[in-house]
Amino acid sequence: MVDEGRKPLLIVSNAGVGVFNPLRVLAAELARRGTENLWFASDEPRRADVEKIDEGSGVRFASLGAINPHYSPVDWDDETYRQITQRSRWKAHRAVVRRGFGAPGTREKSQAIEAVVDELEPALMIFDSVNLPALVAALKRKIPSVLSSPFMPSNLLMPRGFPMLHTGLPLRMSFTQKVRNRVFRLRAGLMLLHPSMLKHVLDTVSRVRKGLLPREALSLRAKVDHADLVLCYTVFGLEYPLPVPEKFHLVGAMIPPLPEAPDDGDLSRWLDANPSVVYVGLGTITRLTRDEVHAMVEVARRLDGEHAVLWKLPDEQQRHLPPRDELPANLRIESWLPSQLDVLAHPSVRLFFNHGGGNAFHEGLYFGKPQVIRPLWVDCYDQAIRGVDSGVSLTVDDPQTVDVEDVFGKITRVLGAPSFRERAEYFSRELREAGGVRTAANLVLGHPALK
């Protein structure tokens, strides 16, 4: 039931960790501040994550039903995973766009969101930047909105002459790279003419003509144009310089109060006992092969004597490990961590080896940790090149595998050069000064719709 009094504030998020986690942190901060009539709509498996926010006013959960496996990377078959993580930046981009365009179950998810919106009649909606059904619901009902983006601002604005999203190209491009960038942009536009996508384009146009969709939904910049505020979880210096509309706010990493998990078994004691730790966290989506798992074990073995290694490796991939008695003594493997943020905050952690996801990249830097990045897919390459250009990280030569010599060499180079740590600590200060969740909550609560 909706409370009498102020109309609800509704947060809507896809279930994917990358877009869900910043909004979960924001919801908890709004609850701590006593925000009344606060709702969070997401897929049913996210209920527990939302309902455990029990501080302040609390957050009520509105279920959007089951996760659509078409949109859930952890549920993709191996062939889909291969297509979207392949070496060709263009083909991977195309696979992602085709996967999301006109996906089965999209209308059902749209109907679920619209049913929640119609019941709650929110004063303001906050939703993630890949959530087109939430955008359509806000457009249809003329509800003010705030856009949440874990991606670089340029990925939303796509200014001409700038590196196109998902290319992994630097700001200062060579002639060849400029040509590649222009061809990539051209092909992205022409992709809508492919028969597999043109059908969906024509169907969308037809629905607009019938009044089933607002005309504004046809614009590629609809989510930015409609939003009153756009929250981006980075800072300039990591993002390249570019003009942004006044509605854009670069608030830095979204970090909750720590520690998140003070009772973490003996993990803190293990970190305390090892003065130099390399933390390996390649995200929830990465699928390592047997050879890649064995290569990472060899990297840890070569680091033995100087550095310990903490590796978060899912259970289903631990079957690829050598026998336990053949693992190096400096290697600790966990299938799950009570809090990755608590690990990154620990002073013993000196380097973060990650997949380049927007949250991981910025969270590591928030705690001043230099990085080595093995980009997984699409936007991970964009974060990786900005890490190199800002002096906080190196990128592996071939993200399609784990080359022992390359990974070991990159890790020892970053650990051995003070400049990487100094630059990471500089951006730690920048990210903290941006305000993170405090600034984001201030902006939301200052919206005229909540007055």
Side-chain angles (χ1 to χ4, degrees):
M1 295 293 293
V2 180
D3 289 340
E4 295 295 332
R6 196 182 74 181
K7 295 177 72 174
L9 169 56
L10 173 63
I11 299 172
V12 185
S13 178
N14 284 316
V17 170
V19 294
F20 175 84
N21 276 352
L23 286 172
R24 176 185 58 83
V25 173
L26 177 58
E29 176 67 16
L30 292 171
R32 271 190 295 275
R33 297 193 187 189
T35 305
E36 298 176 358
N37 222 350
L38 178 60
W39 289 78
F40 199 119
S42 189
D43 296 333
E44 181 62 28
R46 287 299 181 190
R47 178 185 291 275
D49 294 311
V50 172
E51 291 187 341
K52 70 181 180 183
I53 301 173
D54 58 359
E55 51 216 293
S57 64
V59 185
R60 279 179 284 185
F61 183 75
S63 178
L64 301 178
I67 290 178
N68 183 344
H70 198 86
Y71 286 122
S72 176
V74 296
D75 295 319
W76 290 342
D77 58 40
D78 289 341
E79 176 58 21
T80 300
Y81 177 85
R82 185 198 66 78
Q83 289 176 3
I84 291 176
T85 61
Q86 64 181 292
R87 180 173 282 104
S88 167
R89 304 284 20 92
W90 162 250
K91 291 180 180 178
H93 171 83
R94 181 180 63 188
V96 166
V97 174
R98 288 183 177 175
R99 184 81 183 171
F101 213 85
T106 300
R107 290 191 183 181
E108 289 78 4
K109 193 63 66 177
S110 294
Q111 291 167 356
I113 291 175
E114 291 184 19
V116 169
V117 170
D118 287 340
E119 179 181 355
L120 297 179
E121 297 182 350
L124 179 68
M125 289 177 64
I126 309 172
F127 49 85
D128 63 89
S129 58
V130 295
N131 201 322
L132 294 181
L135 168 66
V136 169
L139 284 171
K140 278 185 174 181
R141 292 152 183 81
K142 297 181 170 32
I143 300 171
S145 69
V146 175
L147 196 64
S148 166
S149 177
F151 311 111
M152 293 293 172
S154 55
N155 281 19
L156 296 176
L157 296 170
M158 293 186 288
R160 292 202 170 274
F162 219 74
M164 181 69 174
L165 78 163
H166 303 168
T167 60
L169 290 171
L171 179 62
R172 296 181 178 178
M173 291 178 271
S174 66
F175 175 78
T176 301
Q177 289 172 326
K178 288 179 180 178
V179 172
R180 284 171 51 199
N181 193 50
R182 290 178 182 177
V183 171
F184 194 106
R185 184 183 293 274
L186 177 63
R187 294 177 78 180
L190 294 175
M191 183 168 50
L192 296 176
L193 300 178
H194 189 276
S196 65
M197 296 187 68
L198 187 58
K199 175 181 179 296
H200 300 299
V201 172
L202 294 176
D203 178 63
T204 301
V205 171
S206 174
R207 296 181 69 203
V208 168
R209 288 176 176 170
K210 294 175 181 177
L212 301 175
L213 283 177
R215 184 168 298 276
E216 300 94 323
L218 293 175
S219 169
L220 293 176
R221 286 186 39 137
K223 54 191 174 185
V224 171
D225 291 341
H226 177 69
D228 297 310
L229 296 171
V230 180
L231 304 176
C232 295
Y233 308 126
T234 188
V235 292
F236 282 121
L238 296 174
E239 171 60 299
Y240 299 131
L242 79 159
V244 297
E246 288 187 10
K247 66 174 72 176
F248 273 67
H249 297 270
L250 279 61
V251 302
M254 298 287 276
I255 307 295
L258 299 182
E260 282 191 304
D263 183 13
D264 62 0
D266 70 336
L267 181 57
S268 291
R269 291 192 294 275
W270 183 86
L271 290 169
D272 290 340
N274 290 279
S276 181
V277 175
V278 172
Y279 170 49
V280 180
L282 297 174
T284 58
I285 302 170
T286 297
R287 304 177 187 180
L288 296 177
T289 65
R290 179 184 182 279
D291 288 345
E292 290 165 350
V293 168
H294 279 244
M296 279 304 307
V297 171
E298 179 60 25
V299 170
R301 193 183 314 279
R302 295 194 185 190
L303 292 168
D304 198 5
E306 293 190 51
H307 312 284
V309 177
L310 173 63
W311 185 7
K312 181 184 175 184
L313 182 67
D315 282 329
E316 62 270 18
Q317 295 174 50
Q318 290 192 26
R319 62 189 173 86
H320 297 314
L321 286 165
R324 186 164 295 276
D325 60 0
E326 295 180 14
L327 297 176
N330 68 324
L331 175 61
R332 175 168 179 152
I333 297 172
E334 298 286 348
S335 59
W336 176 81
L337 295 175
S339 169
Q340 175 168 281
L341 295 177
D342 288 350
V343 169
L344 289 170
H346 197 283
S348 290
V349 174
R350 293 187 55 205
L351 182 143
F352 185 19
F353 181 39
N354 64 77
H355 64 302
N359 291 334
F361 177 68
H362 290 96
E363 288 165 0
L365 291 177
Y366 181 89
F367 296 106
K369 312 300 181 181
Q371 304 179 23
V372 173
I373 297 178
R374 177 184 184 261
L376 175 63
W377 63 348
V378 291
D379 71 293
C380 298
Y381 286 84
D382 300 333
Q383 274 85 238
I385 189 60
R386 284 159 174 79
V388 170
D389 285 352
S390 61
V392 301
S393 66
L394 293 176
T395 303
V396 300
D397 291 339
D398 184 2
Q400 300 300 307
T401 187
V402 176
D403 181 277
V404 174
E405 296 295 337
D406 179 44
V407 174
F408 174 72
K410 293 286 195 320
I411 288 175
T412 53
R413 180 178 162 192
V414 171
L415 286 171
S419 64
F420 290 101
R421 175 180 52 78
E422 291 165 358
R423 291 295 288 169
E425 290 176 349
Y426 165 80
F427 281 108
S428 173
R429 294 190 293 273
E430 292 290 297
L431 288 163
R432 290 169 188 265
E433 288 176 7
V437 67
R438 295 187 306 278
T439 298
N442 289 342
L443 290 164
V444 169
L445 294 175
H447 193 286
L450 299 181
K451 300 299 183 184

